[in-house]
Amino acid sequence: MPPKVEAPRRAVYVDGIHLGRRAVVLIASDDEHAPGWHLCRSENSRAWSALMSRIAAPEVVVSDGGDGFAKALRETWPGTRHQRCVFHAFSQVRRYITTRPRTEAGRELYGLAKALLGITALREADGWVGALLDWSERWDGLLAETTRGEDGRVALAHERLVKARRSLA
């Protein structure tokens, strides 16, 4: 086990590395070191809490938004602000709508997701949020469209696009 870290950091970055079917290493790092790691069977709130409880609460933590992290954050570092990793947010959008979306709404959302990777200033971030809100308002009707499956169930017609938007929001 790494030693307990008593000195708080400004920012800590956390992620899990899956080594096999039932082995994950949760890692916490700052700009210079890896103050902690935890070997577990899966990413869940107990595993994240085990890692986080050995590290002084930072001002902000950056994560991929994986399983159980939000609950562990609320319980272990309640005063710490959370930011989702922009690369992971972009990657999730790409998974949902691919790099070549078929609809105009999808192409615009993919462009917004790519633009997120280049933001370096607060003013740019504010502009990006405004653009996402404008996109959501413009395409709200399309995103609300439903279809009826062969089994009679009603489902969103553009479910993957809805999920992509949710992942950015």
Side-chain angles (χ1 to χ4, degrees):
M1 292 288 292
K4 191 166 185 176
V5 177
E6 304 281 341
R9 268 92 170 130
R10 184 176 173 285
V12 170
Y13 312 94
V14 297
D15 203 356
I17 299 172
H18 293 257
L19 302 176
R21 293 180 64 110
R22 295 190 54 132
V24 180
V25 177
L26 303 179
I27 299 174
S29 64
D30 59 22
D31 290 328
E32 298 176 19
H33 303 95
W37 60 89
H38 179 73
L39 180 62
C40 54
R41 293 192 183 274
S42 66
E43 289 188 57
N44 58 48
S45 61
R46 283 190 328 268
W48 281 115
S49 290
L51 168 66
M52 295 161 66
S53 66
R54 300 191 52 76
I55 302 169
E59 289 179 35
V60 66
V61 62
V62 179
S63 80
D64 64 0
D67 296 337
F69 183 78
K71 180 179 178 184
L73 180 63
R74 284 190 308 272
E75 293 174 355
T76 312
W77 292 341
T80 297
R81 292 178 298 153
H82 179 231
Q83 178 179 321
R84 180 134 185 255
C85 170
V86 293
F87 176 76
H88 283 95
F90 167 75
S91 295
Q92 192 166 16
V93 168
R94 186 178 59 203
R95 238 185 340 271
Y96 284 133
I97 62 176
T98 76
T99 58
R100 293 184 176 179
R102 289 181 283 163
T103 65
E104 181 63 27
R107 288 188 290 275
E108 287 180 17
L109 188 62
Y110 183 72
L112 279 169
K114 278 177 59 175
L116 183 61
L117 297 172
I119 293 174
T120 59
L122 189 56
R123 186 180 80 255
E124 294 170 340
D126 287 341
W128 185 89
V129 169
L132 179 63
L133 292 173
D134 290 345
W135 180 91
S136 293
E137 193 174 300
R138 188 168 55 257
W139 295 106
D140 196 43
L142 177 82
L143 298 176
E145 289 178 5
T146 58
T147 184
R148 190 171 300 275
E150 291 178 12
D151 60 357
R153 292 186 185 185
V154 176
L156 290 170
H158 305 282
E159 181 180 10
R160 295 176 69 82
L161 193 57
V162 171
K163 287 180 177 181
R165 175 185 62 175
R166 192 178 310 130
S167 71
L168 288 176

